[in-house]
Amino acid sequence: MTNSTTPPQLDGWLHRYSGKVRDLYVPADGSDAHLLVVASNRVSAFDHVLEPPIPGKGALLTALSNWWFERIDLPNHLAGEGSGAPAVPEEVADRAMVTRRLDMHPIECVVRGALTGSGFAEYQRTGAVCGIELPSGIEDGDLLETPIYTPAYKAPLGEHDENITFERSVELVGVEVATALRDASLRIFTAARDLAAERGVILADTKFEFGRDPETGALVLADEVLTSDSSRYWDAEAYADTSRDRAERLASFDKQIVRNWLRAHWDGTGEPPALPDEIVERTYARYRELYTRLTGLER
């Protein structure tokens, strides 16, 4: 593995798992109440981790998650002051969070305020998304009058998540938990969508993950939240300009620049080519623009 994909060794923590873009650690003293989640600068597309990474990406995503956590009226997984949690190592302080260990629910809670991507593809085939019947005539990128909750089952490691109906989520976690996941997801999405709109940004869709506090049983918001990697945001002014083509109107504040470049320069076989400096810089700028637009802060 190259240096950009090898997780760092951190004093006081033991590496336990790496996903495509994040690294997970447990306390070295053997305690099991907390985890360290480190957002790397890695970027992935089409099931490949690409080279080089996007410098500063992990810090931006962590800062945006923390900004949203402060504005969401629901318990979250962050270990607050006085919790006895180990400190975040200085070398990853800007892109890591110490969290409480939770019993995670196996449901990815997707909310769609617009129809595009895989949701639009399913609608074209069936007229519905995750069992929710929708009116005919919806075009790619159209905003929905009422956001819809379209959950997915989080498959075991190495397998693909599966879109499911709400009824199937009830079978998996019970009616009480399934209803709480749906209601919390829709409530958070609606508040976030309205706040983003005030900043000239459309929150098209997002996904949440929740866990159960093992001591209190409370529903807890976990993982990253409302970031460029977990959500689709569009520029409201560009979206409203119908003289632009669809790609410009629906240009998202994420790694779409990377995906577009790969499609033009890679046939999907073998290892993908290294990203040019220009693509790396433009991608970071797009992430940073969303952070600034939403928070009003510069990084």
Side-chain angles (χ1 to χ4, degrees):
M1 299 175 74
T2 63
N3 289 336
S4 66
T5 57
T6 302
Q9 295 186 1
L10 302 173
D11 288 343
W13 296 91
L14 298 176
H15 176 254
R16 277 293 176 262
Y17 169 76
S18 287
K20 289 188 177 70
V21 296
R22 281 182 294 174
D23 303 311
L24 188 67
Y25 296 77
V26 297
D29 63 8
S31 59
D32 63 357
H34 299 98
L35 299 170
L36 180 72
V37 182
V38 180
S40 77
N41 293 327
R42 300 189 295 271
V43 60
S44 68
F46 308 121
D47 290 327
H48 286 267
V49 176
L50 308 174
E51 291 289 346
I54 311 293
K57 171 179 173 280
L60 274 176
L61 295 182
T62 301
L64 188 53
S65 269
N66 288 336
W67 186 84
W68 278 115
F69 278 131
E70 293 175 359
R71 286 156 180 81
I72 295 172
D73 184 21
L74 192 79
N76 64 62
H77 67 171
L78 296 178
E81 294 183 9
S83 65
V88 177
E90 183 177 351
E91 59 264 50
V92 294
D94 64 343
R95 56 187 180 92
M97 55 182 76
V98 177
T99 74
R100 295 181 284 153
R101 190 186 288 267
L102 304 171
D103 299 326
M104 295 301 295
H105 295 300
I107 306 294
E108 189 171 81
C109 300
V110 179
V111 182
R112 303 176 191 272
L115 207 55
T116 192
S118 62
F120 180 68
E122 183 177 347
Y123 167 76
Q124 284 186 302
R125 293 193 307 270
T126 68
V129 183
C130 292
I132 300 174
E133 297 288 337
L134 295 172
S136 61
I138 297 176
E139 300 291 339
D140 190 7
D142 281 357
L143 302 182
L144 300 174
E145 184 174 343
T146 302
I148 59 174
Y149 175 69
T150 58
Y153 170 62
K154 290 190 65 62
L157 186 64
E159 300 180 22
H160 289 290
D161 293 349
E162 173 193 355
N163 289 342
I164 59 176
T165 63
F166 175 74
E167 290 73 21
R168 175 58 179 148
S169 74
V170 169
E171 294 175 1
L172 290 168
V173 297
V175 64
E176 183 177 352
V177 171
T179 301
L181 293 174
R182 179 193 63 192
D183 293 352
S185 298
L186 287 168
R187 177 165 57 85
I188 296 168
F189 179 89
T190 300
R193 179 198 60 188
D194 293 348
L195 190 153
E198 295 173 2
R199 273 88 169 156
V201 177
I202 294 171
L203 175 58
D205 53 46
T206 193
K207 63 182 179 69
F208 303 112
E209 294 191 34
F210 295 89
R212 175 186 173 276
D213 186 310
E215 295 183 1
T216 68
L219 187 69
V220 180
L221 182 61
D223 202 61
E224 62 182 324
V225 61
L226 294 162
T227 69
S228 305
D229 275 5
S230 66
S231 315
R232 196 188 321 257
Y233 291 93
W234 297 326
D235 181 281
E237 182 178 353
Y239 181 87
D241 185 355
T242 55
S243 68
R244 302 189 186 201
D245 64 26
R246 176 189 169 278
E248 286 184 295
R249 293 180 62 234
L250 305 186
S252 49
F253 289 91
D254 59 12
K255 58 188 177 184
Q256 191 60 47
I257 294 168
V258 169
R259 297 190 194 97
N260 292 346
W261 185 86
L262 276 179
R263 286 193 182 103
H265 296 86
W266 180 50
D267 64 4
T269 61
E271 290 298 314
L275 301 174
D277 290 345
E278 177 204 3
I279 297 300
V280 170
E281 293 165 4
R282 286 175 56 202
T283 301
Y284 175 75
R286 195 66 172 161
Y287 278 87
R288 183 178 60 191
E289 181 183 355
L290 176 66
Y291 176 84
T292 300
R293 292 275 293 272
L294 289 174
T295 69
L297 303 172
E298 294 287 346
R299 286 191 68 87

